[in-house]
Amino acid sequence: MRQATPQETSRPTRQRGAQRLWDPRVWGTTVGAAGGTVFVMVNRGELGDPWTTVAALVWLVVFAAYLWFVLVAPRWFEAPAAIGRYAGLVYVGSVGGMLLLIRLGSALLDEAGRGELRPALIVVAVGLHFLPFAAAFATPMFTRLGAVMAGIGAVGLGVGWVYANAAASAAVVAGIVMIAVITADASGSRERDEVEEGMTRPGR
């Protein structure tokens, strides 16, 4: 894997994501995109027709947008922010907490005879585990992503006590939202292009 040169990391660079596969802001998004895809594909079969097909089509559109904005469209990469001193510990602790919450929550759901709510529980756990990342990795996007996903999962848990497919629906929506938030963050890094283009138009 190619390492960034000092010059590359000291000033903003306008490139395609595919040209910076070594950058965590590029390869790191594949984890979220893959996770979102799993949420959709594993749970969409519980929705019934026509929603099973609708979910797949929506995922296809969002995933295509993800590929475009993350890998193809030129955008600005600012100099990487300093990583928190305890970022590694935060990551390990967050993942450990997520797995523990899933295990304990699943046990409670099984005891209550509501194992079908597990997809929504997993969405809550995954969402909450993103929240500490925002400060540790200096990436505010994790706050939005974590809060939205935890909220979707909580709604799925609550409504799931009444409507059997609510948990699976929440997982499908959360998967699509995860990919959409990542895509929007990459798209936002192109705003500098629009500003600079506006400043160079005649009459400015």
Side-chain angles (χ1 to χ4, degrees), residues 54-145:
V54 170
L57 292 176
V58 173
W59 168 83
L60 183 61
V61 171
V62 174
F63 193 77
Y66 161 80
L67 292 176
W68 173 260
F69 286 109
V70 173
L71 297 177
V72 180
R75 55 185 169 123
W76 286 98
F77 289 88
E78 300 290 340
I83 301 299
R85 180 179 179 182
Y86 300 105
L89 292 176
V90 170
Y91 178 81
V92 173
S94 297
V95 172
M98 175 186 68
L99 296 176
L100 182 61
L101 177 57
I102 292 173
R103 184 176 181 83
L104 295 178
S106 295
L108 292 175
L109 290 175
D110 289 339
E111 185 176 345
R114 303 307 302 265
E116 74 277 6
L117 300 182
R118 188 174 290 107
L121 168 68
I122 295 174
V123 170
V124 171
V126 171
L128 292 178
H129 110 286
F130 281 130
L131 295 178
F133 291 5
F137 299 102
T139 308
M141 182 266 292
F142 284 125
T143 299
R144 299 191 297 274
L145 179 59

Side-chain angles (χ1 to χ4, degrees), residues 2-203:
R2 188 175 76 84
Q3 298 296 318
T5 65
Q7 184 178 25
E8 287 177 322
T9 58
S10 63
R11 59 185 176 80
T13 304
R14 185 173 182 269
Q15 288 181 302
R16 302 176 189 276
Q19 296 174 290
R20 296 176 64 94
L21 295 179
W22 50 267
D23 193 316
R25 290 166 292 186
V26 178
W27 67 259
T29 67
T30 62
V31 177
T37 297
V38 170
F39 273 134
V40 174
M41 296 305 168
V42 170
N43 293 284
R44 71 185 183 89
E46 301 295 323
L47 305 184
D49 292 329
W51 300 110
T52 297
T53 301
V54 170
L57 292 176
V58 173
W59 168 83
L60 183 61
V61 171
V62 174
F63 193 77
Y66 161 80
L67 292 176
W68 173 260
F69 286 109
V70 173
L71 297 177
V72 180
R75 55 185 169 123
W76 286 98
F77 289 88
E78 300 290 340
I83 301 299
R85 180 179 179 182
Y86 300 105
L89 292 176
V90 170
Y91 178 81
V92 173
S94 297
V95 172
M98 175 186 68
L99 296 176
L100 182 61
L101 177 57
I102 292 173
R103 184 176 181 83
L104 295 178
S106 295
L108 292 175
L109 290 175
D110 289 339
E111 185 176 345
R114 303 307 302 265
E116 74 277 6
L117 300 182
R118 188 174 290 107
L121 168 68
I122 295 174
V123 170
V124 171
V126 171
L128 292 178
H129 110 286
F130 281 130
L131 295 178
F133 291 5
F137 299 102
T139 308
M141 182 266 292
F142 284 125
T143 299
R144 299 191 297 274
L145 179 59
V148 170
M149 288 194 65
I152 292 172
V155 171
L157 279 173
V159 179
W161 287 93
V162 180
Y163 298 101
N165 291 337
S169 299
V172 170
V173 171
I176 292 172
V177 167
M178 182 187 296
I179 301 172
V181 170
I182 294 171
T183 302
D185 186 66
S187 175
S189 64
R190 299 179 67 246
E191 292 179 358
R192 179 169 176 166
D193 292 343
E194 298 175 2
V195 172
E196 293 195 349
E197 286 176 2
M199 293 177 62
T200 57
R201 287 175 185 169

